[in-house]
């Protein structure tokens, strides 16, 4: 899978469209001027490549300056903030409703958990 594993979302409407078409969505709320965001970005991209499953698990990036409506809708006040959704509703992963800050260990653990759920969903639908 190429870097297309990341969905660059430009508005709340685009994000809601992704929620409507995908069971699980991980969202990275970031800003271009944010140093920690830049540090964690390659890690997030690698997790997206590893775990994405079309229609089941998507990894989105939302620039909070470009998509202020999306940032406001989810109360994002610090960057980066990672949130996780199932069927369009925010869910806690590994007991965390969101990961604030560039925390590669927590982010990897959350991606592993979602990746496992996605694999299970794919196996159920194909079997």
């Amino acid at each position: 899978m190429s870097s297309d594993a990341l969905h660059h979302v430009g508005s709340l409407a685009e994000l809601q469209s992704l929620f409507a078409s995908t069971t699980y969505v991980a969202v990275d709320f970031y800003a271009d001027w944010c140093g920690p965001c830049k540090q964690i970005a390659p890690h997030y991209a690698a997790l997206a490549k590893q775990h994405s499953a079309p229609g089941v698990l998507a990894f989105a990036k939302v620039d909070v300056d470009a998509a202020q409506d999306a940032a406001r809708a989810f109360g994002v006040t610090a960057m980066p903030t990672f949130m996780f959704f199932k069927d369009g509703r925010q869910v806690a992963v590994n007991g965390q409703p969101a990961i604030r800050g560039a925390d590669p260990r927590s982010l990897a653990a959350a991606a592993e958990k979602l990746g496992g759920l996605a694999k299970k969903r794919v196996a159920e639908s194909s079997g």
Side-chain angles (χ1 to χ4, degrees):
M1 194 173 272
S2 69
S3 61
D4 298 337
L6 286 177
H7 296 265
H8 292 271
V9 174
S11 68
L12 179 58
E14 281 182 42
L15 188 57
Q16 288 170 331
S17 176
L18 184 59
F19 291 158
S21 65
T22 309
T23 306
Y24 299 102
V25 180
V27 182
D28 172 8
F29 290 95
Y30 74 100
D32 287 333
W33 47 262
C34 162
C37 298
K38 291 177 184 167
Q39 290 176 330
I40 196 88
H43 188 68
Y44 186 71
L47 292 170
K49 274 188 193 173
Q50 184 180 352
H51 296 291
S52 288
V56 181
L57 174 56
F59 287 76
K61 289 187 68 76
V62 176
D63 179 337
V64 298
D65 292 323
Q68 294 178 7
D69 57 346
R72 264 195 311 276
F74 296 104
V76 175
T77 56
M79 278 66 69
T81 293
F82 300 91
M83 291 184 181
F84 312 99
F85 298 84
K86 179 182 180 192
D87 299 325
R89 289 195 182 87
Q90 188 178 353
V91 294
V93 175
N94 297 332
Q96 294 183 289
I99 297 170
R100 287 181 176 77
D103 182 348
R105 188 171 293 139
S106 292
L107 187 56
E112 291 287 330
K113 173 85 172 190
L114 289 171
L117 292 169
K119 280 189 184 109
K120 187 175 171 185
R121 175 77 48 113
V122 169
E124 288 168 358
S125 66
S126 63

